[in-house]
Amino acid sequence: GDSVTQMEGPVTLSEEAFLTINCTYTATGYPSLFWYVQYPGEGLQLLLKATKADDKGSNKGFEATYRKETTSFHLEKGSVQVSDSAVYFCALSDRGSQGNLIFGKGTKLSVKP
Amino acid sequence: GAGVSQSPRYKVAKRGQDVALRCDPISGHVSLFWYQQALGQGPEFLTYFQNEAQLDKSGLPSDRFFAERPEGSVSTLKIQRTQQEDSAVYLCASSLGQGWDTEAFFGQGTRLTVV
């Protein structure tokens, strides 16, 4: 079945450091790919998405590019802030599905001042 | 309200007790999903509603789990005869449309602890 594998955490960075969180997927079809973020005490929020190969999703300085050849959707940010501390989830939704999401296990990011 | 609301936020149940978890989706949202999130794991799909119709319940782990959305708005997830392995955060999400590229809005979840 479909699955998502993402980098194990926790990840601890200093403010202004470069962030990469790796995500790879397995899918029988041609999925849409998402990054969701969960800030402390809050619900999951959509951070960015991409629906076809080579699409780049971006939001709040975060970017991820849909790479079909490597089945990857790595999350990057050039300069992290303390306010980016959260748990990040990579997810996919199969084309033709009702929209239910398959999530990775999540990566906890802590940014120190 | 502006977002998806879930209640209660926390629930402690004795093993064997029945529980009911409520989800108020964003008004007008057609699609509603329930997920189960075990500690240290990502959310896992339980069931899907399109309006009042339950179109997919393939993720429900046993027949002790039951969900309904009788008027196409509020939904309730019921767990009968709770077991320790049911301890998890239960998340509800809603979306305006249907399909694989539509944005889902999540509630804060209900943390269920079975003792």
Side-chain angles (χ1 to χ4, degrees):
Chain A
D2 294 356
S3 66
V4 173
T5 302
Q6 66 179 100
M7 185 169 136
E8 298 262 337
V11 174
T12 302
L13 295 174
S14 297
E15 210 165 18
E16 299 183 3
F18 184 85
L19 169 72
T20 301
I21 301 178
N22 290 339
C23 171
T24 57
Y25 68 89
T26 303
T28 51
Y30 190 167
S32 284
L33 301 174
F34 304 82
W35 277 99
Y36 277 82
V37 59
Q38 186 169 34
Y39 298 104
E42 299 184 17
L44 283 164
Q45 303 173 23
L46 179 64
L47 180 60
L48 54 84
K49 72 176 187 181
T51 58
K52 62 183 190 296
D54 301 324
D55 265 3
K56 179 186 285 190
S58 60
N59 187 23
K60 298 182 181 181
F62 291 88
E63 293 184 339
T65 301
Y66 190 143
R67 299 287 187 203
K68 197 164 187 289
E69 64 277 13
T70 54
T71 61
S72 65
F73 193 54
H74 304 321
L75 182 69
E76 296 183 336
K77 186 174 186 183
S79 176
V80 293
Q81 305 301 311
V82 172
S83 57
D84 294 327
S85 297
V87 182
Y88 293 81
F89 292 91
C90 185
L92 70 81
S93 178
D94 239 334
R95 202 169 292 244
S97 76
Q98 322 97 327
N100 49 297
L101 294 159
I102 297 170
F103 287 89
K105 290 186 177 182
T107 303
K108 184 174 181 180
L109 170 66
S110 296
V111 181
K112 307 294 186 189
Chain B
V4 177
S5 178
Q6 292 188 245
S7 60
R9 290 291 313 280
Y10 303 92
K11 176 70 180 177
V12 178
K14 291 185 178 177
R15 192 166 49 185
Q17 191 177 357
D18 297 350
V19 298
L21 313 180
R22 177 188 170 103
C23 172
D24 279 272
I26 294 173
S27 178
H29 276 197
V30 167
S31 297
L32 186 145
F33 305 83
W34 283 99
Y35 292 85
Q36 180 190 59
Q37 185 176 16
L39 191 64
Q41 304 294 315
E44 292 193 357
F45 170 75
L46 293 177
T47 188
Y48 165 69
F49 289 86
Q50 182 180 313
N51 296 309
E52 69 279 3
Q54 188 175 19
L55 298 185
D56 187 345
K57 50 184 180 179
S58 62
L60 296 176
S62 78
D63 59 7
R64 296 186 295 103
F65 286 71
F66 171 76
E68 58 183 7
R69 194 187 185 196
E71 296 177 0
S73 177
V74 171
S75 178
T76 304
L77 176 67
K78 297 178 179 178
I79 309 173
Q80 296 177 322
R81 305 180 305 281
T82 52
Q83 305 293 314
Q84 281 196 315
E85 63 262 27
D86 300 335
S87 295
V89 176
Y90 291 85
L91 299 171
C92 176
S94 70
S95 61
L96 184 60
Q98 309 135 49
W100 47 274
D101 65 344
T102 153
E103 179 178 356
F105 294 84
F106 283 80
Q108 290 182 283
T110 295
R111 182 178 297 277
L112 173 65
T113 304
V114 181
V115 296

